[in-house]
Amino acid sequence: MNTNIDTGGIPDAAFLEKLANQYFKANPADELPGQGPIPATVPSSVSGLGVSPSVVQYGNTVDIKDTENDLPKHYSDGGGRIPVSVAGSGASPSVVQHGNNINIKNPQTGFPDQNLKNGDHNAAGAFTDSPANGSKEYFPFEGDKSFLTDLQTVLSSLMTSSSAPQFPELTSKGLDTQDFPAYYFLQDNPFAISGNIAQLPTDSISAVKPGFSTASVLPWGFDANLIKKDFPILQEVVNGKPIVWLDNAATTQKPRQVIERLSFFYEHENSNIHRAAHELAARATDAYEEARKKVQLFLNAASPNEIVFVRGTTEAINLVAKSWGEQYLQPGDEIIVTHLEHHANIVPWQQLAGKKGVKLRVIPVDDDGQVLLDEYARLLNPKTRLVSFTQVSNALGTVTPARKMIEMAHQAGAKVLLDGAQSVSHMRADVQALDADWFVFSGHKVFGPTGIGVLYGKEDLLNQTEPWQGGGNMIRDVTFEHTEFQKAPGRFEAGTGNIADAVGLGAAIDYVTRLGIENIQLYEHYLLQYATGLLNEVPGLKLIGTAKEKTSVLSFVLNGYSNDQVGQALNNEGIAVRTGHHCAQPILRRFGLESTVRPSLAFYNTCTDVDRLVSTLKHLKGKYR
Ligand code: PLP
């Protein structure tokens, strides 16, 4: 075997692609297993796979160098063919072509970020490719050549594999590939770390997902540098630097698969839904209802009837307040929230409290930002009708003990609304295991479009609740005297909804599912630990929110600088973070603050991203104050 690898520290990507393409040529996989040849156009049953439509459309006969196929430019960066079996995986061609070589304990051991090699700030404060003083302190994996050995192992496994991979899961499930691994063709991935995983700290993982078995985690893993390539906007240059997107708690970026799914909808399926006999109405309705099913499976809801499409988390909470709250709450009843809540989970209850004479009570948190369960137990009483709280704090990153808190509320006879806006993209949200009565989230926080979100509600509860908006779509029969409403979910979807973006959300969920939410959770866990360690070393930096169970968010203040100054300095280096009160003023005031700087992580962030953040902060600190 030719192991022509650049021993200068950077693997030869072109060579790897060539090998991968040779492999795919040897294993053409021209058919979807059990499904026959891939159709020339996307049938509605395929249109929800979370696959880039153009990948499906062009099937595996595409020569990505063939411009006649009019493939978007991004497919032409490697040469060779896209195997059709990839089209069902939700994995981007670039990811598949490059393979999937991961050491999750050392997330940089995939290919180095092509956009950014080692670097530092020069005397003028600009980030450069060459360290000014030769220091590599904040680029910890630079110089670690061990991945070359690993790459050679992967290559030899590719070259010696004699048969095309088998897809028993796919075959048995037809095209419903929810549980199908994204990187099936590397099932024997030598980088899989299942042998070592038992030694990894699991406290936060098991706390987030009870019964979480680390033994089954990460059979395939992933490489954030490669995943990043699925996100066109992450290739942007800001102020002369490759962008680093660390504003994920505000909104996440969208993979090409979502963007292309949206344009496919408008190019081939667009129609109003549910009420027409024509072809496009059928396609649009199929796509929309398939998206609902995807959300159902993603949340492990018992039925698609429990999934109501709304505009986002804010609208979902308002819906519950203005329908169930107005219908069922009486003067003297009590609603409990935590001190951590986003304004979206405070204001609607306050409005309701004012209107109905209901009392709003608040569970305090400790100095790390953790909910005080003893205090919560004291607040619960027979008048408590609702506990509404966040699974993850958007300002501090605290993961609340949701399952326990829900159990306590139910024991007191109260219903529970769980705000999943900050959790769905980072951890498994199993609504049946959590036993939440309502669970709400926004599509744009989970790599989907803006303007679409989800209210999950237990089916009986939804059907026992009067709709909050009246109009088309939500009725079964209307006379001037009386209207009969649809059952859920239709009764809460009055008027023409955001059809295309619901379909886009379905594609985003497919994308996340392909990566594997547990893989994401574990990867981000280590990235957060890595970032926390380095931020703690920045002189004068104080992290706000130091709960034992945290995810994604790293709020801080930097002595000597206003938060806006820090945000500006980071922006000058192409690094996007949020500064401000994060729509969570009560919790920041609990810490004596009006605002913080808030970097927040997602699975496409890398240690290099964190290094650039820390390096800029250290430079800022060292240079001026
Ligand atoms: N709840 C939490 C915890 C949030 O972080 C957010 C947004 O940041 C919301 C609710 C509101 O979400 P949206 O603005 O998408 O409705």
Side-chain angles (χ1 to χ4, degrees), residues 63 87 217 238 281 283 352 385 394 399 455 459 462 482 503:
D63 178 340
V217 177
V238 171
R283 287 188 201 170
L352 184 67
R385 301 296 306 283
N394 72 313
V399 178
L455 166 70
E459 193 166 359
L462 290 179
H482 177 72
V503 175

Side-chain angles (χ1 to χ4, degrees), residues 249 312-314 342 344 390 394 419 421-422 442 444-445:
T313 305
T314 303
H342 186 281
T390 192
N394 72 313
D419 177 350
Q422 293 296 340
S442 302
H444 72 98
K445 309 253 195 210

Side-chain angles (χ1 to χ4, degrees), residues 200-461:
L200 304 179
T202 59
D203 49 349
S204 89
I205 298 159
S206 52
V208 172
K209 183 176 184 290
F212 186 92
S213 160
T214 48
S216 64
V217 177
L218 289 176
W220 305 280
F222 59 83
D223 183 319
N225 281 322
L226 293 178
I227 289 166
K228 219 176 213 190
K229 294 183 195 299
D230 273 345
F231 292 77
I233 206 167
L234 298 181
Q235 319 308 320
E236 285 291 300
V237 170
V238 171
N239 291 326
K241 318 281 168 14
I243 192 169
V244 171
W245 185 256
L246 292 173
D247 197 13
N248 294 291
T251 201
T252 53
Q253 299 301 353
K254 321 306 169 200
R256 198 180 307 285
Q257 285 82 345
V258 169
I259 298 166
E260 291 183 352
R261 186 67 189 86
L262 286 173
S263 44
F264 186 86
F265 178 86
Y266 282 119
E267 285 171 13
H268 300 286
E269 298 164 325
N270 182 48
S271 164
N272 212 325
I273 51 172
H274 292 153
R275 298 172 301 269
H278 59 72
E279 170 67 20
L280 292 190
R283 287 188 201 170
T285 305
D286 276 0
Y288 183 75
E289 293 305 332
E290 274 169 23
R292 194 191 306 281
K293 189 108 176 70
K294 287 170 199 292
V295 176
Q296 178 213 340
L297 295 173
F298 186 57
L299 298 183
N300 191 30
S303 156
N305 297 334
E306 298 184 321
I307 306 302
V308 179
F309 283 122
V310 291
R311 205 156 50 86
T313 305
T314 303
E315 187 171 85
I317 297 172
N318 276 278
L319 188 159
V320 175
K322 289 177 172 59
S323 58
W324 178 86
E326 294 207 357
Q327 186 180 349
Y328 287 105
L329 296 191
Q330 306 293 333
D333 286 344
E334 295 182 3
I335 296 173
I336 295 178
V337 297
T338 77
H339 210 140
L340 296 168
E341 301 313 316
H342 186 281
H343 297 164
N345 200 22
I346 299 173
V347 181
W349 307 120
Q350 242 168 17
Q351 290 176 311
L352 184 67
K355 210 164 170 178
K356 302 277 294 188
V358 168
K359 193 164 172 189
L360 191 60
R361 310 192 71 180
V362 182
I363 314 170
V365 300
D366 66 15
D367 291 343
D368 290 317
Q370 302 174 122
V371 169
L372 291 168
L373 286 179
D374 290 353
E375 297 294 328
Y376 173 45
R378 265 193 282 280
L379 287 175
L380 283 166
N381 72 74
K383 285 186 278 181
T384 311
R385 301 296 306 283
L386 173 72
V387 180
S388 187
F389 69 99
T390 192
Q391 196 171 10
V392 172
S393 155
N394 72 313
L396 308 184
T398 309
V399 178
T400 58
R403 199 173 142 86
K404 171 113 189 116
M405 289 175 68
I406 292 169
E407 205 178 309
M408 289 166 72
H410 284 163
Q411 276 166 9
K415 301 235 173 291
V416 180
L417 185 151
L418 188 59
D419 177 350
Q422 293 296 340
S423 60
V424 280
S425 62
H426 304 296
M427 63 186 65
R428 171 79 61 201
D430 180 332
V431 290
Q432 293 192 71
L434 286 162
D435 200 24
D437 297 285
W438 300 277
F439 181 89
V440 299
F441 74 92
S442 302
H444 72 98
K445 309 253 195 210
V446 61
F447 316 99
T450 51
I452 188 74
V454 168
L455 166 70
Y456 155 84
K458 288 180 179 167
E459 193 166 359
D460 286 351
L461 182 59

Side-chain angles (χ1 to χ4, degrees), residues 204-205 207-208 368-370 391-393 395-400 426-427 521 524-525 528-529 532 535 543-556 599:
S204 89
I205 298 159
V208 172
D368 290 317
Q370 302 174 122
Q391 196 171 10
V392 172
S393 155
L396 308 184
T398 309
V399 178
T400 58
H426 304 296
M427 63 186 65
Q521 186 175 3
E524 290 182 357
H525 175 74
L528 186 74
Q529 281 193 338
T532 304
L535 284 173
L543 280 170
I544 309 297
T546 45
K548 188 158 169 287
E549 306 301 341
K550 269 187 73 168
T551 188
S552 171
V553 171
L554 293 142
S555 255
F556 68 83

